[in-house]
Amino acid sequence: MEPRTAVVQLKVARSALYDFTLTVTLPEGVAAQPTAIRQHVEDLQPGVLSAECTESTLDRITDVALVDVIGIEFPAENFTAGTHDDR
């Protein structure tokens, strides 16, 4: 049996770690204590942190996980006359 090829459309999640420094202006009432500052950073809009996640700040990719197989197609050259695949 000859090897066959399939075209598989996937959804994949990739986790990455970024390493960057962010200068933040502390609002009035936020104490200059590590826990208060951490909470302030956690409350920032996602776009603030996302803007810093660039190729130059990429530290490493931690994992890749398959989320879903959306579709599978078999190119026509895989089939000979009279064959059919119901997958």
Side-chain angles (χ1 to χ4, degrees):
M1 177 182 232
E2 275 185 49
R4 293 179 22 176
T5 60
V7 177
V8 184
Q9 184 179 4
L10 306 171
K11 289 233 183 227
V12 176
R14 180 174 87 165
S15 297
L17 294 176
Y18 294 87
D19 186 0
F20 57 86
T21 302
L22 184 64
T23 302
V24 295
T25 302
L26 299 176
E28 231 177 273
V30 173
Q33 297 173 351
T35 53
I37 295 169
R38 180 184 177 98
Q39 184 62 52
H40 175 68
V41 171
E42 289 175 355
D43 292 341
L44 291 173
Q45 293 295 319
V48 174
L49 299 179
S50 182
E52 297 298 324
C53 296
T54 65
E55 203 56 41
S56 66
T57 62
L58 179 62
D59 183 40
R60 69 183 175 274
I61 297 185
T62 58
D63 66 292
V64 177
L66 176 65
V67 175
D68 195 8
V69 176
I70 299 168
I72 301 172
E73 294 180 16
F74 295 94
E77 67 268 8
N78 284 333
F79 298 102
T80 57
T83 64
H84 183 71
D85 193 329
D86 288 323
R87 285 188 244 182

